[in-house]
Amino acid sequence: MRSTVDVAGIDCRFPAADSPADFWDLLVRGEHGVSAVPPQRWPIDEYYDPDGGPGRANTRFAGFVTDPETFDCEFFGIAPVEAKAMDIQQRMVLHTVWRALENAGLDPKALRGSDTGVFVGVMSSDWGTLHLADYAGMSPQRGVGNGFCMIANRVSYQLDLRGPSLAVDTACSSSLVAVHLAANALRNGECDIAVAVGVNLMLTPALSVFYTQAGLSAADGRCRPFSGNGGGIGRGEGVGAVVLRRSEDRPDDAPEPYALIAGSAVGQDGRSNGLTAPTRWGQERVMTKALAAANCTAQDLDFIEGHGTGTTLGDMVEVRALRGIVAGEPTRTRILGSVKGNIGHCEGAAGIAGFIKACLALDKRIVPPTLFADEENPQLDLAAHGLRLAAGAERLGRGQLYAGVSSFGLGGTNAHVVLASAERARRPKGNGTLGVLTVTANNGDALARNLAAVAAGIDANDWLRQCYSSNHVKSGLGVRIAIPATGASSLLDTLAHADRRAAAATKTPRGARIVFAFTGQGAQYRRMCLDLRLRLPAFGTHLQDVDDAMAEITGSSIIAAIESGADAEGRSLDETAVSQPALFAVQIALARTFAGFGVHPAAVIGHSVGEFAAAVCAGRMTFTEAARLVSARGEAMQAVARGGAMLAADCGYDAALALAESIDGAGIAAVNGPSSVVFAGVAEAVETIAEKLRADGVRVKALTVSHAFHSALMAPAQAAVREAAAQVTEGAEGVIPMASTVTGALLEPDDLTPDYWARQVTEPVLFDRAARALAALRPTHVVEIGPRGVLSGILRASAALPDSTILTPIPGEKSDGLEFAATLASLWESGVDIGWSALYDRADHRIRRLPGYVFSDGERFLVSAASAGLTAPVRAVAGHHVLPTKPAAVEADPSSVYSAVIAVLGDIGDYRPADLRPDQDLRDDLGFDSITIMQFADRIAPRLGLAAAPGPEQLHSDIRTVGELVELVTTLTKENHR
């Protein structure tokens, strides 16, 4: 048995229906989208004749889509000059394919480089007819933008898809043949995902005149399928796209498919009564083959979406063919209908329209009414053939359903597809309470627009799966916003105030350099981070793994000590022998959790005991080595006689050092900032320092400690630490830089010797100096790894890393997981590619269909019906049509290469020079391709007086931005004038 194919995603625009939801609503309500010919299409009075005289059409009506000329050229990185030249059908398909891929639960950007195939059914191009005959206005963009093949090729190029890419023209059956070819390509392994599309747009009365002259046109522009009052064909237009995938390849988290393609076939009438005359036998053969391919019979069909043009001959032939395939079977009435009654005959898009209708009907288990069922043609004798028209929307039964979809071409190429309903699996929701909603766009205005669309569709009962879906479908574009939440209400509250932030968002910079800063002793508290296990199961898993490994070293559970506040021996969590291994365990678990999200440090720094986890993350020690060493260090320091004191002071280092050197028994334990130090030593000496500083008006704070850490009083612990450190691998070079708070500099490969760790016990923590050493690496973010926000505040106060965003995923005891999610959100907004799955309960790994991307409608490119000959393209902004004008030349000094480059780019792309910036990507933002490269080379040379134009190989090199192009031309200009 042949494998089935999922109909995984759908998007469409048809008359009176701008989306699949609108389309279904139109169908079930039994309404139509036929209207008078819009004046911007063609001057109807010049081409209308109720008697159908030569060169005239006998109708003023057809089914038109709304505003087909709107096109978000900036989104696709297509220059306005190229957008004006492109067939509108290409533009419509680009929008529709993007939204269909999203509807399938796919991020279109993630398909770059894949073998995804594109199959487009199309039978005419009024745009090409108008523009290719305008020889005087011919341009490279117009030549490339008007081939049928380019409708499919444009999609493959813009989305960087590497599978089969072809246009299909079999007249009215084109798009259903495209579905058949796409499904076979999947079964044959030519691609893993396929997009089948149908498109049709009416810009001239040409085919309306043809139908009238051929005696096929309905005067009122209405198709009346299977009706006794059928007067002929009423034209329609639109675009539909379906995303197909082998059923066995369906990911576990994918949306349920709308339907399954069980089988399909394509055939020809052969030599009939005429080239355009249909035959019962040809249609019967193709339907029989499709049923055989689906391994079922006509008896299995629950309804049939017929071709149903409403012409007397066509409907009669089709019904007789249907009678042929059901002959001899047990009596069963099947519903017959045709979408043409709702939207007209969409010609090249007719097949996809019927296919989408049938898919939606199977998905919802409802067959929409057949328009004009009350006018059924008695000559068809449908009841005798086991067929009936649906007078209203009818609910289908339970169990497996089948539907047949027919589409017959004017030249005799017929197609039939057998669809089956998809099984619906019940999937209970998970217990997660933490999510992040993500939305991306190509600029701030678009981000605000799309955020509003997604927000409007939030379901309070399914918000977590919608967040998960957004992470996998709405995360691929350059301008980003992320909304963390711990519940539906918090998500909706934040969304209500996020529009301004979205509108102000800018393109995400490439690359982020993250520093992990590991908190030192004193940050511990009972139950630290344990509640995060409930919000973030991934952290709980890592913490348990660390605890299991450390129990073999310490002999007891770290988690138990954190939970109860004391270890198995009854020692408090605040005792160094307990707190240091506990902090280390929490930090390693947090670092591993971040790694599971794809967050990895470019450098690390640790405050005192935080250096052990930092060294592990830097690759300078193994986890086991560090665990043994930190355990030995804690025990050794615990064994030192209690006593001494520590004092934090808002004091500069030089003054602090002079003061400490003037008093025996005291020293500096830490330098956290330019005016933040910690003193340590014997209690009397530290109290003396406190009194002097208070007298000078300096703010001080006595620290609650058991020992005077990082002072000479800790010297008795050095020998044990040195001995334990001797077991660590010597000369570890690490994999990322580590700033040392012992030396205040970046570590060299052989710095982590046993003596280093012994010195670390008694010498001051030079955190401020070490942080400033990291500035040379130009970090973009600092993430504090620890149970409390300590280093975050120090870094903000010291401004040691002024260009870095400081993030605190766990600020302290009241942290509920939202801050962790907010950290991920901030990193993602800054360009870090987060692997979001670990944020959610496994049961919530389920992609829900979200609102499709909302493209800008501010740019319009259409033909002007008022212009002579219907050949003048127009560009409109904000809905007001204006004739296109080239940007004015920039008045600048001839030696200004920048002005020259900007002027030429504006000229060839139809951009305003003021809108061009050095940081814009030539290809992705401005559509700088092989054609515009040649145009640029030809125009820049005379403008700058170059003897020879820059060669294409130079412009094709690693030149990515406008600024880099300016640099290249500047170099060429200097060389030319030497």
Side-chain angles (χ1 to χ4, degrees):
M1 180 177 176
R2 301 175 74 193
S3 61
T4 60
V5 171
D6 284 0
V7 181
I10 291 174
D11 191 62
C12 62
R13 290 180 65 192
F14 291 115
D18 288 337
S19 69
D22 290 346
F23 185 44
W24 179 250
D25 188 54
L26 181 82
L27 295 174
V28 294
R29 286 189 289 107
E31 297 183 353
H32 70 87
V34 175
S35 63
V37 176
Q40 63 265 39
R41 298 302 182 94
W42 61 82
I44 185 61
D45 289 340
E46 296 181 20
Y47 297 95
Y48 171 67
D49 180 353
D51 298 323
R56 298 291 186 269
N58 69 339
T59 181
R60 291 176 174 271
F61 304 95
F64 295 93
V65 298
T66 305
D67 294 335
E69 69 272 21
T70 60
F71 179 53
D72 197 343
C73 59
E74 182 185 349
F75 177 87
F76 291 102
I78 294 175
V81 68
E82 186 170 10
K84 289 192 304 184
M86 287 167 54
D87 184 348
I88 294 184
Q89 294 180 135
Q90 291 186 29
R91 308 179 208 149
M92 294 171 66
V93 167
L94 280 172
H95 280 183
T96 304
V97 168
W98 185 280
R99 289 168 59 96
L101 288 168
E102 286 191 332
N103 188 256
L106 299 169
D107 180 350
K109 281 287 187 181
L111 295 177
R112 297 187 67 164
S114 71
D115 65 354
T116 300
V118 181
F119 302 80
V120 179
V122 57
M123 66 171 275
S124 61
S125 173
D126 287 352
W127 182 268
T129 300
L130 292 171
H131 290 76
L132 293 181
D134 178 18
Y135 305 137
M138 184 59 67
S139 67
Q141 290 82 5
R142 186 177 291 187
V144 171
N146 285 279
F148 278 6
C149 65
M150 290 299 178
I151 300 179
N153 297 163
R154 178 79 66 177
V155 173
S156 299
Y157 171 77
Q158 294 296 151
L159 302 187
D160 193 16
L161 309 178
R162 311 293 175 85
S165 183
L166 54 107
V168 180
D169 181 6
T170 59
C172 319
S173 59
S174 297
S175 53
L176 200 63
V177 172
V179 170
H180 167 78
L181 294 175
N184 282 348
L186 288 167
R187 292 189 176 105
N188 294 334
E190 298 171 36
C191 51
D192 293 326
I193 294 173
V195 185
V197 188
V199 63
N200 187 57
L201 189 68
M202 301 178 289
L203 294 177
T204 76
L207 284 181
S208 299
V209 173
F210 161 67
Y211 290 145
T212 296
Q213 301 306 310
L216 300 173
S217 177
D220 64 354
R222 299 290 305 278
C223 284
R224 286 177 163 76
F226 315 112
S227 167
N229 296 322
I233 292 173
R235 297 184 68 195
E237 66 181 14
V239 57
V242 294
V243 179
L244 308 179
R245 173 171 51 208
R246 291 181 292 270
S247 298
E248 61 263 33
D249 293 342
R250 185 191 314 157
D252 290 339
D253 65 351
E256 298 284 1
Y258 289 96
L260 309 177
I261 298 177
S264 61
V266 172
Q268 239 284 337
D269 285 338
R271 190 169 179 83
S272 61
N273 292 332
L275 178 62
T276 64
T279 73
R280 164 191 170 182
W281 311 112
Q283 294 179 14
E284 186 176 326
R285 277 194 301 271
V286 78
M287 287 188 279
T288 301
K289 286 182 178 180
L291 287 166
N295 196 32
C296 63
T297 69
Q299 179 65 24
D300 297 311
L301 297 178
D302 294 275
F303 70 92
I304 298 167
E305 172 62 19
H307 186 62
T309 58
T311 60
T312 302
L313 176 62
D315 286 357
M316 182 65 71
V317 169
E318 182 172 4
V319 170
R320 287 178 177 176
L322 287 170
R323 180 180 64 185
I325 67 168
V326 301
E329 295 187 356
T331 303
R332 182 188 179 201
T333 303
R334 297 159 190 82
I335 300 172
L336 174 65
S338 172
V339 73
K340 294 180 179 65
N342 302 93
I343 60 175
H345 188 341
C346 292
E347 297 157 358
I352 204 73
F355 182 85
I356 290 174
K357 172 190 171 182
C359 289
L360 294 175
L362 287 174
D363 180 60
K364 299 176 184 299
R365 291 181 171 262
I366 294 174
V367 178
T370 304
L371 296 196
F372 311 110
D374 57 338
E375 304 173 359
E376 180 182 321
N377 185 353
Q379 295 181 3
L380 298 179
D381 199 11
L382 294 179
H385 301 332
L387 302 169
R388 65 182 178 84
L389 305 181
E394 297 191 21
R395 187 168 296 278
L396 297 171
R398 298 180 178 179
Q400 183 69 69
L401 302 174
Y402 287 94
V405 182
S406 293
S407 191
F408 307 136
L410 183 65
T413 298
N414 305 318
H416 189 79
V417 176
V418 178
L419 291 169
S421 59
E423 183 180 354
R424 294 288 183 263
R426 294 190 63 185
R427 301 198 180 186
K429 296 177 183 177
N431 297 315
T433 57
L434 196 62
V436 176
L437 185 77
T438 55
V439 181
T440 59
N442 63 305
N443 58 48
D445 289 342
L447 187 62
R449 186 171 63 244
N450 278 276
L451 181 65
V454 172
I458 292 296
D459 179 353
N461 295 316
D462 204 25
W463 72 277
L464 270 173
R465 288 181 174 179
Q466 289 178 307
C467 285
Y468 176 87
S469 303
S470 73
N471 303 156
H472 291 78
V473 178
K474 299 286 189 178
S475 292
L477 302 174
V479 183
R480 304 175 169 187
I481 190 169
I483 311 295
T486 55
S489 59
S490 69
L491 175 63
L492 292 170
D493 287 346
T494 306
L495 284 170
H497 303 91
D499 53 341
R500 289 186 180 179
R501 186 162 73 89
T506 57
K507 193 169 184 178
T508 302
R510 291 183 180 137
R513 293 174 299 280
I514 303 167
V515 169
F516 277 4
F518 294 85
T519 318
Q521 191 170 347
Q524 73 277 355
Y525 51 90
R526 184 177 175 181
R527 293 193 54 79
M528 62 179 175
C529 301
L530 294 188
D531 290 342
L532 186 61
R533 297 178 302 176
L534 301 177
R535 296 281 196 186
L536 192 61
F539 170 72
T541 299
H542 289 303
L543 184 62
Q544 187 62 58
D545 290 343
V546 172
D547 188 50
D548 293 342
M550 291 192 68
E552 298 179 7
I553 297 170
T554 64
S556 62
S557 168
I558 295 294
I559 293 178
I562 297 174
E563 185 103 47
S564 65
D567 70 357
E569 299 178 23
R571 296 180 295 184
S572 167
L573 181 62
D574 292 327
E575 300 287 345
T576 60
V578 183
S579 63
Q580 292 188 16
L583 286 167
F584 172 79
V586 166
Q587 290 171 341
I588 291 295
L590 283 171
R592 290 180 178 179
T593 302
F594 273 113
F597 287 102
V599 179
H600 303 281
V604 296
I605 185 174
H607 195 287
S608 187
V609 71
E611 284 204 314
F612 294 92
V616 173
C617 286
R620 291 179 176 271
M621 282 194 292
T622 67
F623 164 76
T624 301
E625 289 172 336
R628 288 173 178 161
L629 182 53
V630 77
S631 179
R633 181 183 190 265
E635 293 288 354
M637 295 175 73
Q638 181 77 29
V640 174
R642 291 173 176 269
M646 299 185 74
L647 180 78
D650 294 346
C651 181
Y653 173 72
D654 291 339
L657 180 61
L659 183 57
E661 289 178 344
S662 69
I663 300 173
D664 291 338
I668 295 177
V671 183
N672 292 325
S675 58
S676 177
V677 299
V678 177
F679 295 94
V682 298
E684 294 80 0
V686 172
E687 180 56 32
T688 299
I689 289 175
E691 292 174 356
K692 289 181 175 291
L693 290 175
R694 289 193 192 99
D696 292 335
V698 176
R699 188 172 63 175
V700 297
K701 179 182 179 181
L703 304 181
T704 303
V705 294
S706 60
H707 297 78
F709 300 114
H710 295 286
S711 74
L713 297 182
M714 300 304 299
Q718 286 184 302
V721 172
R722 184 181 287 106
E723 180 180 351
Q727 307 303 314
V728 175
T729 303
E730 293 185 7
E733 295 186 7
V735 293
I736 61 173
M738 176 176 172
S740 167
T741 53
V742 175
T743 67
L746 297 180
L747 285 174
E748 296 296 332
D750 299 324
D751 281 353
L752 291 187
T753 64
D755 283 340
Y756 177 91
W757 295 112
R759 288 172 55 199
Q760 199 223 30
V761 173
T762 60
E763 294 190 10
V765 179
L766 303 179
F767 181 78
D768 185 60
R769 192 179 300 174
R772 294 180 189 280
L774 288 171
L777 303 178
R778 302 179 67 185
T780 57
H781 297 80
V782 177
V783 178
E784 182 162 3
I785 307 296
R788 191 193 302 275
V790 177
L791 303 182
S792 301
I794 291 173
L795 287 169
R796 292 189 185 100
S798 70
L801 298 170
D803 298 324
S804 300
T805 300
I806 313 298
L807 300 171
T808 313
I810 305 178
E813 291 92 330
K814 295 182 179 181
S815 175
D816 62 357
L818 182 63
E819 298 87 356
F820 188 97
T823 296
L824 293 176
S826 180
L827 291 171
W828 179 80
E829 286 183 346
S830 299
V832 179
D833 290 328
I834 302 295
W836 294 104
S837 295
L839 193 64
Y840 304 90
D841 190 299
R842 185 73 182 173
D844 288 322
H845 287 195
R846 185 75 173 152
I847 294 178
R848 297 299 193 199
R849 290 189 171 94
L850 301 175
Y853 191 88
V854 184
F855 293 99
S856 170
D857 60 1
E859 294 280 3
R860 297 170 182 264
F861 306 88
L862 188 58
V863 293
S864 169
S867 59
L870 298 176
T871 58
V874 301
R875 178 182 178 193
V877 180
H880 301 291
H881 291 283
V882 295
L883 290 175
T885 57
K886 292 184 177 180
V890 175
E891 295 296 333
D893 184 85
S895 64
S896 173
V897 174
Y898 178 81
S899 296
V901 169
I902 293 298
V904 172
L905 286 176
D907 187 34
I908 63 176
D910 198 15
Y911 291 109
R912 292 184 294 270
D915 292 339
L916 299 175
R917 306 184 311 274
D919 63 337
Q920 286 173 315
D921 189 293
L922 287 167
R923 184 175 180 180
D924 293 343
D925 295 335
L926 304 181
F928 200 64
D929 59 12
S930 56
I931 292 177
T932 47
I933 282 174
M934 296 299 297
Q935 291 178 314
F936 179 83
D938 289 342
R939 299 187 192 187
I940 196 66
R943 188 167 188 119
L944 293 176
L946 302 179
E953 69 284 351
Q954 293 171 299
L955 298 176
H956 263 304
S957 60
D958 295 329
I959 306 300
R960 291 286 302 177
T961 67
V962 172
E964 291 171 358
L965 180 62
V966 171
E967 291 178 7
L968 172 65
V969 176
T970 299
T971 300
L972 295 175
T973 302
K974 290 179 179 177
E975 292 176 353
N976 187 80
H977 292 294
R978 283 177 182 170

